[in-house]
Amino acid sequence: MDMDQNKNKTGRTMRTNEEIFEAIAEFERNEISIPDFCEMYGISNSTFYEWQKKYKMRNQENTGSNMQPIILTDELLQMTERLPIAELELPDGRLFRIFQQVDPAFLKAFIN
């Protein structure tokens, strides 16, 4: 397609959403820098971030319909009971695992 056909009155190249999505997908696959990408497509950084936002929103919409419910079985719940709900690492390297809810005042006193 002739690029001059896609220029608006200000001389800027207008791209379709599909062209934008393909460009951002290519950016993510090739892991090029943002400045290099912007130079390659003749866009500003702010335009890049607008394109990226559009791309991510589209992907969220597409993946939203594929979501599956999570079924919590008794076996899964029993497994999670053995996992800590928090880990606290002190500056001296000691690690404390907390397996149940604790009063914040207790934690504050414990740390000090």
Side-chain angles (χ1 to χ4, degrees), residues 17-18 27 47 68:
N17 281 341
E18 199 53 44
F27 167 78
T47 299
Q68 297 293 320

Side-chain angles (χ1 to χ4, degrees), residues 24-80:
I24 295 295
E26 179 185 342
F27 167 78
E28 291 185 350
R29 280 192 306 271
N30 295 328
E31 298 179 2
I32 62 175
S33 71
I34 293 171
D36 288 345
F37 179 87
C38 292
E39 184 177 334
M40 192 165 61
Y41 284 91
I43 62 172
S44 66
N45 282 1
S46 62
T47 299
F48 167 79
Y49 289 111
E50 288 174 27
W51 286 13
Q52 191 177 47
K53 182 178 176 183
K54 237 187 224 191
Y55 178 79
K56 287 181 179 182
M57 287 175 64
R58 177 183 149 197
N59 283 347
Q60 286 175 350
E61 289 170 5
N62 289 343
T63 58
S65 62
N66 296 329
M67 295 181 116
Q68 297 293 320
I70 297 173
I71 300 170
L72 298 176
T73 62
D74 288 338
E75 181 182 13
L76 182 61
L77 290 173
Q78 287 174 352
M79 286 172 46
T80 60

Side-chain angles (χ1 to χ4, degrees), residues 77-88:
L77 290 173
Q78 287 174 352
M79 286 172 46
T80 60
E81 286 176 358
R82 294 187 296 262
L83 297 174
I85 60 170
E87 290 185 342
L88 179 64

